Amino acid sequence: MAGLGEADEAELQRLVAAEQQKAQFTAQVHHFMELCWDKCVEKPGNRPDSRTENCLSSCVDRFIDTTLAITSRFAQIVQKGGQ
């Protein structure tokens, strides 16, 4: 990039990569929310019934567990790559 020093260009690339990761995470969360909504909510109302609450809670728990497992696996891969 014209006019930027090497350190500035590296910092800019790091910031762009971080923003892309945030955007990907946000898109995944929105997709997950749609999946749980479609799976659990039959008819929206003022207050969800207990079946809907339990379904949403289970769906969220599965999402969190899966996210933690994937994050842990990526951390292991990165750690092995750095050795």
Side-chain angles (χ1 to χ4, degrees):
M1 293 182 197
L4 290 180
E6 200 171 302
D8 290 335
E9 188 172 329
E11 177 66 10
L12 181 60
Q13 287 177 354
R14 187 189 66 76
L15 290 172
V16 168
E19 288 302 314
Q20 287 174 333
Q21 287 177 337
K22 287 180 195 176
Q24 286 175 337
F25 178 76
T26 300
Q28 288 174 340
V29 168
H30 284 286
H31 178 69
F32 155 74
M33 289 171 58
E34 282 183 27
L35 290 174
C36 287
W37 181 268
D38 291 343
K39 176 180 174 19
C40 298
V41 179
E42 291 177 12
K43 53 183 178 197
N46 292 338
R47 186 163 174 86
D49 61 16
S50 62
R51 188 199 73 75
T52 301
E53 286 182 0
N54 289 337
C55 181
L56 288 170
S57 179
S58 294
C59 192
V60 169
D61 288 345
R62 284 194 309 270
F63 172 74
I64 291 170
D65 290 345
T66 301
T67 301
L68 290 174
I70 290 169
T71 302
S72 175
R73 181 67 181 133
F74 280 138
Q76 289 173 353
I77 291 169
V78 169
Q79 189 176 30
K80 285 181 182 178
Q83 294 177 354

